[in-house]
Amino acid sequence: MTRKHYAVSPDDVASFEKDGVVVLRGVLDSEDIATLADGIAEVVRGLSNSVTGYDLSNIRHVVFEQDQNTAETGGAAQYDVSGLAQYLKAVGSNPLTDELEGEAKGHFKLDTTTWRRYRPIRKIALDSVLPEVAAQVMRATKVNYCDDQIFVKDPMTKDRTAFHQDYTYFHLEGWKGCVMWACVDPATTKSGVPIYVRGSHKWGKEYKTNPFLVQTSFPDAVGEDLPEIRGHEDDYDILRFETKPGDVIIHHFRTIHGASGNHSSAPRRAASLRYIGEDMRYYERPGAPAQPYHDHNLKEGDVLDSRSFPVVWPKPYPGFALTPLYDSSPATKGAPAAAAR
């Protein structure tokens, strides 16, 4: 049986509040891990047909190494890759890559809002122990599911993940928000576990978004420029946690973080699942990415309760499952809903 309860210690809650990040060990059981791994495999197989799926290594290679503006992105349309490529080259951006001891043959792949299309991801996001854990960590009286991203770095992938702050990528406004990073492989410093700037969630700043493969901000991003952290790590209080399958790293929406490439011979496959508390409201944030798989009619200031942001905790009664309610959703079948934003 999949785990139904996980008690977060007061010390771990205090660490999350003070540091902006905490690691919890053994949150997901073997059944959860297998389900999540199946979901990630489905996401990778469907990447070329996803409106929000990208092979960032391929884009980096075509744009910066072949000096072209049009990279093959399959069905992806969340970003104007051609326009972005021209902009990045015009301002002199350089890709964020590591030197590897061996051939850099791996790829960095990601997809967004996968819970609406892939049932295994949906099951973990909505009906596992994670919503209850989010409620404990955030001291929330209600938890909505926000969104997700799947990150896969193949063995020997040189592409880094730029330092960034998740909060400004969301059409949300409020304080209570957390991201749960769950890897289905042992994740080490060598394979590219996330790197966090301790306490950065309390800096009181909202930073410009970037496309991950470079530190340069999107041209329409709103906020402050992120400090130059890479190469200056000694100037910051850096945290990283090596994890085993079942462990979950939880960081605040505003905590600055990034990651190295994968220098190992094993894959680094992870899900980033996002939860929000009762104070969050809808906000048409300037410069935040479009969310093609969201289907709602929310207006600024609205409470988030909707099919795109379901209430996942507390459940109306023991054993209640949200997962089946989305099986016939238009977005679940692979195409963005007509009312998507």
Side-chain angles (χ1 to χ4, degrees):
M1 293 292 292
T2 189
R3 179 171 288 115
K4 299 301 182 185
H5 175 70
Y6 183 96
V8 181
S9 73
D11 287 346
D12 285 332
V13 175
S15 292
F16 174 77
E17 294 175 341
K18 177 178 178 290
D19 299 336
V21 61
V22 67
V23 62
L24 303 181
R25 305 295 183 182
V27 176
L28 300 177
D29 64 15
S30 58
E31 181 180 334
D32 293 327
I33 296 165
T35 299
L36 186 58
D38 287 344
I40 293 174
E42 289 186 27
V43 170
V44 172
R45 288 195 295 269
L47 195 71
S48 63
N49 297 318
S50 172
V51 176
T52 53
Y54 292 90
D55 183 328
L56 294 186
S57 298
N58 181 55
I59 294 174
R60 181 258 308 154
H61 175 69
V62 171
V63 171
F64 292 102
E65 296 175 2
Q66 295 187 340
D67 196 26
Q68 299 179 34
N69 293 331
T70 304
E72 176 56 50
T73 56
Q78 187 177 23
Y79 299 102
D80 175 9
V81 172
S82 177
L84 181 61
Q86 294 179 57
Y87 167 74
L88 294 177
K89 290 192 287 188
V91 299
S93 294
N94 293 308
L96 294 173
T97 58
D98 290 339
E99 291 292 330
L100 304 183
E101 295 181 1
E103 182 185 357
K105 58 185 178 181
H107 285 242
F108 178 16
K109 293 161 278 196
L110 65 83
D111 200 357
T112 306
T113 322
T114 67
W115 72 280
R116 293 301 298 269
R117 292 166 285 146
Y118 298 101
R119 199 174 199 273
I121 304 295
R122 185 158 63 251
K123 184 176 179 181
I124 297 300
L126 306 186
D127 293 318
S128 72
V129 73
L130 295 184
E132 181 196 32
V133 170
Q136 295 177 70
V137 168
M138 296 190 293
R139 301 183 193 266
T141 59
K142 183 187 72 169
V143 174
N144 295 65
Y145 187 64
C146 172
D147 210 346
D148 63 70
Q149 280 188 307
I150 301 302
F151 297 107
V152 174
K153 289 189 178 181
D154 296 328
M156 301 302 288
T157 296
K158 69 179 182 179
D159 298 277
R160 299 181 64 89
T161 306
F163 281 101
H164 62 283
Q165 178 190 63
D166 289 338
Y167 180 62
T168 47
Y169 289 79
F170 304 141
H171 292 283
L172 303 171
E173 190 170 46
W175 177 255
K176 290 186 180 181
C178 71
V179 178
M180 298 195 178
W181 192 89
C183 197
V184 298
D185 311 290
T188 65
T189 299
K190 187 173 182 179
S191 68
V193 291
I195 305 164
Y196 300 93
V197 181
R198 190 202 302 257
S200 54
H201 65 309
K202 293 185 175 180
W203 290 356
K205 298 180 183 295
E206 296 179 8
Y207 292 104
K208 294 178 180 178
T209 55
N210 64 58
F212 288 179
L213 78 166
V214 297
Q215 198 62 65
T216 305
S217 303
F218 284 113
D220 59 349
V222 174
E224 300 191 36
D225 291 321
L226 195 72
E228 188 66 39
I229 297 172
R230 186 189 179 195
H232 302 274
E233 286 88 351
D234 290 345
D235 296 334
Y236 298 91
D237 193 352
I238 298 295
L239 289 174
R240 55 169 61 86
F241 308 94
E242 296 197 343
T243 62
K244 297 178 180 179
D247 298 341
V248 177
I249 304 174
I250 308 176
H251 70 262
H252 192 277
F253 269 10
R254 298 172 189 250
T255 302
I256 295 170
H257 58 288
S260 72
N262 183 354
H263 296 239
S264 78
S265 58
R268 198 218 68 179
R269 301 168 295 163
S272 176
L273 309 170
R274 292 83 182 260
Y275 298 88
I276 51 180
E278 67 277 0
D279 69 317
M280 280 287 180
R281 296 294 183 268
Y282 188 73
Y283 172 49
E284 289 280 359
R285 184 177 300 280
Q291 302 296 336
Y293 289 105
H294 283 194
D295 51 341
H296 60 73
N297 293 303
L298 295 171
K299 301 178 180 61
E300 287 202 9
D302 282 354
V303 172
L304 276 298
D305 301 359
S306 62
R307 285 186 64 80
S308 291
F309 302 97
V311 177
V312 292
W313 189 92
K315 296 291 179 64
Y317 56 84
F320 177 82
L322 282 162
T323 298
L325 303 182
Y326 287 85
D327 288 349
S328 60
S329 167
T332 305
K333 297 177 180 178
R341 295 190 182 191

